[in-house]
């Protein structure tokens, strides 16, 4: 993975300060890399920090500490022109295609802007390029869709527009944050297979954020499981689903439809502590296998076998020194 | 198998500024005692309209309803409002996706149970209400201590469990649930659904479980009714983890092919081309015809037969539908 990596986050930490409340650490010393034409799925419960990580990787958020690499450029703190250039290379697709499109503008307007701003296409050239993009995301006949407003489109069509817009700057890396979770089953598959074929044609790298392990396994080469602002397990997609190591991954798998498991391996349902002062394993309060040390020391994410990493003292003694 | 609730030729139209819009088209469906009947359909297919129509919650000035909803020998639509109020909660209770947000923010969880229980059983003492609350909260795996809390002090998953406990308060035999766990996290969702399944087994409840999530419902329900554009397309025995083991309606087959599987060999998924029709559009033939890979010439214009049996498939191309027509 290292020779063709496109994005690499090293010990990335994102801290939010809030009024009259303690700070929240939504991503804690996260290390993650994505290779060329690779899809990494980020799965985990609500509030675990997936969107935060996704936004940081495309630099819509500036990391509080750690380093972010795009190919061999350090993009952790870039701003102005260099940040704009990075934004053409790293794009985000949102969950809610309606919220992310402006109701007062046509499809063409949404696509023309990034073409002109990010790729420097002339107004004239943009016309052709818009039709080309529409064709690539399957919105044909393109001349019809060009002039439509968001409310004239179905949910699936709007998500296609959102994908086309993300592609306009010719990115190498796309974060897709729950791109199908608001869509109906029969349309989800269409969008997932569209993402697949665009990856093939354009050599894209994806971070696919989802709650759904089955679609993660389908789309991704590797799956990273996030819990309480940290990655707790990472391996090839099939490995995570067939031989999950971390107790949270096992819980998530048991809860997923199709796992055949009935009883849920957890001691209680509790949201993890995201405060900066947290110590110990974030999953300790729910973990059926918790040991004394889990409550005071934080396990590090390290390989338990080649290509399969877990942050859990059941497998190793590696301790993380936090952020 | 005896019927707990039966829906007979139910038609619902909404009154809109542009006139009546027909939504549910001739739905006949029986819920048997001691079963979970799943109702699956994509958004806008009419599931919530069905849930509200079953409970007679649609106001006459918003919707026009015809047909019958029978519980035992009573037709819900023939009852007086007073009789209806007595029957809701006691015989039939409901949980909606929004139930967790429908709790009263200014009273404690305990007070909710007082309100519900005393409205139907005014002779209960405070002590009895508290004991029953304790018991009900335990049944949905909540710590009974949360009775003292206010709704905003609980997570969404906990509030939804409170809503389920409230629905069970008067020991109803029938439970209607419309997307009861849709907004919740995977683990919370599964734990609530496990609870529902366990309660159903223990109390022999008859449950209608409505959801857009085909695989989730098929993992839980005994039978599934598949809705498309306001019509019932199929009722099938649920086959759990391997839905391909049974013959299905072409639309159902399309759904199954669109869902990635968690385990087993990696099979390529495939969407159903096109978009669901606008439910308000009038169709004479099969509403699925413009997306159907098995379409025949007659499908566009020939209405689907109205069937009512334990399981059936409404499709012109599935010749032996009579075979599935036997009442079981
Ligand atoms: N701008 C912000 N200011 C303060 N806290 C924030 C901010 N953005 C996110 N958070 C907090 O950070 C944590 C992680 O949020 P995030 O949106 O990354 O979770 P997620 O894994 O994407 O969840 P979901 O699955 O619900 O989308 C949450 O506790 C959230 O409330
Ligand atoms: N009060 C209403 N007035 C008019 N149309 C409505 C009303 N409620 C729902 N509808 C329409 O009825 C159709 C079915 O809606 P609904 O029963 O909520 O579907 P589902 O629950 O399957 O998503 C939709 O087209 C919806 O817009
Ligand atoms: S480190 Fe300890 S508490 Fe954390 S998941 Fe492993 S066993 Fe459980
Ligand atoms: S009736 Fe015709 S169009 Fe409808 S599902 Fe059957 S074959 Fe397809
Ligand atoms: Mg998110
Ligand atoms: Mg609904």
């Amino acid at each position: 993975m290292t020779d063709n990596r496109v994005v690499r986050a090293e010990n990335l930490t994102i801290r939010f300060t809030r009024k009259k409340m303690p700070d929240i650490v939504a991503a804690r010393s996260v290390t993650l890399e994505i290779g060329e034409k690779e899809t990494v799925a980020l799965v985990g419960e609500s509030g675990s920090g997936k969107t935060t990580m996704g936004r940081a990787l495309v630099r819509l958020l500036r990391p509080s500490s750690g380093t972010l690499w795009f190919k061999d450029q350090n993009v952790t703190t870039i701003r102005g022109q260099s940040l704009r250039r990075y934004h053409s290379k790293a794009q985000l697709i949102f969950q809610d295609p309606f919220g992310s499109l402006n109701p007062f503008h046509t499809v063409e307007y949404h696509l023309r802007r990034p073409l002109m701003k990010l790729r420097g296409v002339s107004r004239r050239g943009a016309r052709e390029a818009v039709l080309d993009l529409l064709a690539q995301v399957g919105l044909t006949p393109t001349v019809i869709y060009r002039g439509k407003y968001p409310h004239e489109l179905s949910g699936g069509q709007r998500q296609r527009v959102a994908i086309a817009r993300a592609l306009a700057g010719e990115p190498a890396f796309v974060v897709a944050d729950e791109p199908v979770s608001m869509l109906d089953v029969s349309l989800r598959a269409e969008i997932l297979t569209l993402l697949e074929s665009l990856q093939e044609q354009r050599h894209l790298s994806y971070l696919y954020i989802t709650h759904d392990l089955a679609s993660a396994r389908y789309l991704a080469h590797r799956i990273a499981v996030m819990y309480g602002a940290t990655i707790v397990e990472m391996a090839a997609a099939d490995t995570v689903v067939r031989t999950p190591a971390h107790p949270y991954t096992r819980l998530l798998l048991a809860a997923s439809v199709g796992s055949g498991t009935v009883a849920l391996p957890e001691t209680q349902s509790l949201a993890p502590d995201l405060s900066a002062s947290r110590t110990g394993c974030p999953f300790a309060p729910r973990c059926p296998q918790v040991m004394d040390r889990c409550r005071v020391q934080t396990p590090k994410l390290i390989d338990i076998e080649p290509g399969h990493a877990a942050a859990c003292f059941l497998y190793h003694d590696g301790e993380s020194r936090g952020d | 198998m005896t019927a707990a609730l039966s829906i007979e030729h139910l038609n619902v139209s909404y009154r809109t500024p542009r006139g009546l819009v027909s939504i549910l088209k001739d739905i006949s469906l029986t819920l048997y005692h001691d079963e979970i009947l799943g109702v699956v359909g994509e958004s806008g297919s009419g599931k919530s309209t069905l849930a509200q129509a079953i409970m007679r919650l649609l106001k006459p000035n918003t919707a026009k309803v015809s047909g019958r909803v029978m519980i035992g020998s009573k037709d819900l639509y023939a009852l007086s409002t007073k009789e209806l109020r007595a029957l809701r909660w006691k015989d039939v209770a409901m949980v909606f996706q929004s139930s967790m947000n429908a709790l009263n923010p200014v009273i404690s969880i305990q007070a909710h149970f007082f309100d519900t229980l005393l409205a139907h059983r005014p002779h209960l003492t405070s002590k009895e209400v508290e004991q029953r609350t304790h018991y009900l909260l335990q049944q949905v795996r909540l710590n009974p201590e949360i009775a003292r809390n206010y709704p905003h002090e609980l997570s969404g998953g906990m509030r939804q469990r409170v809503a389920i406990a409230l629905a069970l308060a008067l020991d109803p035999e029938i439970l209607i649930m419309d997307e009861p766990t849709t907004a919740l996290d995977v683990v919370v969702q599964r734990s609530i659904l496990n609870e529902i399944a366990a309660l159903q087994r223990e109390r022999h409840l008859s449950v209608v479980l409505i959801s857009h999530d085909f695989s989730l419902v098929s993992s839980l329900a005994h039978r599934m009714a598949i809705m498309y554009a306001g019509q019932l397309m199929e009722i099938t025995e649920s086959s759990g983890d391997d839905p391909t083991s049974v013959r299905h309606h072409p639309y159902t087959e399309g759904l199954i092919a669109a869902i990635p599987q968690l385990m087993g060999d990696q099979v390529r998924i495939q969407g159903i081309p096109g978009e669901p029709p606008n439910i308000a559009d009038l169709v004479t033939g099969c509403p699925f015809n413009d997306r159907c890979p098995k379409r025949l010439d007659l499908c566009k214009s020939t209405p689907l037969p109205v069937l009512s049996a334990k399981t059936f498939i409404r499709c012109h191309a599935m010749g032996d539908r009579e075979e599935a027509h036997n009442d079981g």
Side-chain angles (χ1 to χ4, degrees), chain B residues 263-277:
Chain B
M263 299 287 187
D265 295 338
Q266 193 72 265
V267 185
R268 275 198 69 79
I269 54 169
Q270 208 184 345
I272 303 176
E275 305 270 343

Side-chain angles (χ1 to χ4, degrees), chain B residues 31-256:
Chain B
L31 170 70
Y32 294 102
H33 276 296
D34 200 4
E35 79 160 343
I36 300 181
L37 170 66
V39 177
V40 180
E42 299 186 271
S43 88
S45 60
K47 304 181 297 297
S48 296
T49 302
L50 177 64
Q52 293 172 69
I54 294 176
M55 299 294 300
R56 203 176 137 186
L57 288 171
L58 294 165
K59 302 226 160 55
N61 58 356
T62 47
K64 178 169 171 280
V65 181
S66 69
R68 305 201 297 174
V69 175
M70 304 293 297
I71 294 180
S73 57
K74 285 181 233 164
D75 175 4
L76 247 64
Y77 280 86
L79 298 179
S80 69
T81 25
K82 202 172 151 214
E83 289 167 316
L84 187 66
R85 211 175 304 131
L87 176 136
R88 281 197 201 130
W89 292 102
K90 193 170 68 58
D91 294 339
V92 199
M94 58 213 148
V95 178
F96 295 148
Q97 177 175 348
S98 57
S99 294
M100 62 183 181
N101 302 323
L103 299 175
N104 184 343
V106 299
I107 64 174
S108 68
I109 301 302
Q110 181 65 73
H112 285 83
F113 284 87
F114 268 100
D115 287 356
T116 305
L117 284 163
L118 292 181
H120 291 263
R121 298 181 187 165
H123 58 275
L124 288 180
T125 66
S126 301
K127 182 123 212 278
E128 284 169 329
V129 171
E130 279 166 17
Q131 277 168 350
R132 179 117 183 104
T133 306
H134 190 101
Y135 168 78
L136 289 164
L137 291 176
Q138 267 180 337
Q139 284 238 300
V140 294
R141 300 288 138 89
L142 282 172
N143 184 338
E145 280 174 20
I146 63 117
R148 279 184 272 127
N149 288 91
Y150 286 79
H152 74 266
E153 297 170 321
L154 307 178
S155 72
M158 291 165 87
R159 277 183 278 133
Q160 193 68 349
R161 280 173 216 238
V162 169
I164 295 169
L166 276 169
L168 295 171
L170 297 160
D171 258 322
E173 289 191 353
I174 302 170
L175 213 49
I176 312 286
M177 308 191 135
D178 185 11
E179 311 267 9
T181 59
T182 294
L184 304 173
D185 200 67
V186 182
V187 175
V188 178
Q189 166 164 325
R190 170 55 53 183
S191 100
I192 292 182
L193 291 172
N194 282 354
E195 245 40 271
I196 293 172
L199 287 167
Q200 188 275 328
R201 280 194 300 272
E202 277 166 37
R203 298 178 167 221
H204 305 287
L205 297 175
S206 309
V207 179
V208 177
L209 176 66
I210 299 175
S211 169
H212 69 282
D213 190 336
F214 181 93
S215 20
L216 189 123
V217 171
S218 71
S219 72
L220 227 74
H222 302 108
R223 282 186 308 142
M224 291 210 281
I226 315 291
M227 282 185 70
Y228 189 78
Q231 300 199 37
L232 271 186
M233 303 308 273
E234 168 174 10
I235 299 180
T236 173
E237 299 282 349
S238 152
S239 43
D241 283 347
D242 184 15
T244 53
S245 59
V246 195
R247 269 162 50 91
H248 288 296
H249 189 277
Y251 171 59
T252 315
E253 276 178 357
L255 287 179
I256 292 167

Side-chain angles (χ1 to χ4, degrees), chain A residues 14-18 24-27 42-55 61 95 177-178 209-211 226 229 272 274, chain B residues 185:
Chain A
I14 292 132
R15 204 178 165 118
F16 293 116
T17 46
R18 299 177 300 172
I24 263 194
V25 179
L42 196 55
V43 303
E45 72 178 11
S46 195
S48 57
K50 305 181 297 295
T51 296
T52 302
M53 266 311 287
R55 290 171 56 84
L61 275 177
Q95 169 175 5
D177 190 354
E178 305 200 43
I209 298 177
T210 181
H211 287 104
M226 225 174 156
L274 296 183
Chain B
D185 200 67

